[in-house]
Structures are given as C-alpha cells and as structure tokens.
Amino acid sequence: MKVAIVYASTTGNTEALALAAEAGAKAAGRDVSIATADTADAAATLAADLILLGSPAMGAEQLEDSMEAFFSGIEGSLSGKKVGLFGSYDWGEGQWISDWSDRVTGAGATLVNAVKAHLTPEDADLEAAKQLASA
C-alpha cells in the first residue's frame, strides 16, 4: 500500500505529527512518501492508496496558505480516495479540522481519521498520528 503524506508546518508541531505518521506507515510496511505542501506533487499524491494531509490552524481557523493551495488543487479529484488529516492549533477547539473534514467528505473521499493536537503534540497525539497509516 502506498501512503502519501503532505503537510505544512509553521512552528514544527504539525511536522512532528507528519513524522510520526511517516514512522507509523513505515512500521506497518507501507511504501511511504512525505513532502511539504509547497513541494508536493499532486499527481503522485493522488496516485497513493492513502493520502495523509497535515496543516496547522491559521488565522480564523483556516488551513496554512501552502496547504490551502495544495488541497484546493486536488480537492476535485478526491472522490473515492482514502484521506486522513492531522494538525495542530493554538486557540479554540480546533474547528479548522472539522471544517477540513467536511471538505474531504464533501469531495467524495473517505475520511479515515482526523488527529488534532493542541500546541505541541503529546505522546497520545503522536501515537494517533502513527495509527493514521494503518487505516
């Protein structure tokens, strides 16, 4: 199974979740690729069996700019795909991940899970990110 992990990170918190997801995918024997949203290849991402996307909450509970651009570019091609989401937030309850989940399912994809961490990911958050690849 091929797993594509694409993420944006501003403080390193979402990157920590991405690296945990990568470790989980490798431990599960998956063929994994990892890239930042500003360098990821959309076609290669869409060719994966499982797509894991990560972004911190920005502004008024929005995706980070490079992830918004990347996600908007593939959103119309997600029908029938398996997608997992992850990211970190600082304020509120993490509404951005619920909104993003709605966009994923609205595009016709199957949401396997969404992992959100408040500020620095704790051990339980990192473990949840590792489990994303076993969906």
Side-chain angles (χ1 to χ4, degrees):
M1 170 187 269
K2 178 137 178 73
V3 177
I5 302 169
V6 179
Y7 71 97
S9 188
T10 57
T11 63
N13 294 336
T14 302
E15 182 178 32
L17 294 167
L19 296 175
E22 179 187 33
K26 287 182 177 179
R30 311 285 196 242
D31 177 15
V32 62
S33 64
I34 186 168
T36 57
D38 58 349
T39 64
D41 179 87
T45 300
L46 290 167
D49 301 301
L50 175 62
I51 301 168
L52 302 179
L53 303 171
S55 176
M58 304 297 291
E61 297 277 342
Q62 301 162 316
L63 298 177
E64 186 274 341
D65 288 344
S66 66
M67 178 51 74
E68 178 60 47
F70 180 80
F71 183 73
S72 293
I74 66 168
E75 191 170 2
S77 301
L78 289 177
S79 183
K81 303 289 184 184
K82 291 181 182 177
V83 178
L85 302 176
F86 60 91
S88 61
Y89 66 103
D90 184 5
W91 58 92
E93 299 297 318
Q95 181 63 40
W96 103 105
I97 204 100
S98 296
D99 295 342
W100 197 10
S101 297
D102 291 344
R103 288 176 69 183
V104 166
T105 57
T110 299
L111 181 68
V112 297
N113 201 358
V115 175
K116 62 182 179 179
H118 184 247
L119 297 172
T120 303
E122 297 181 6
D123 290 344
D125 303 319
L126 295 170
E127 185 58 35
K130 285 180 185 177
Q131 295 304 314
L132 281 172
S134 63

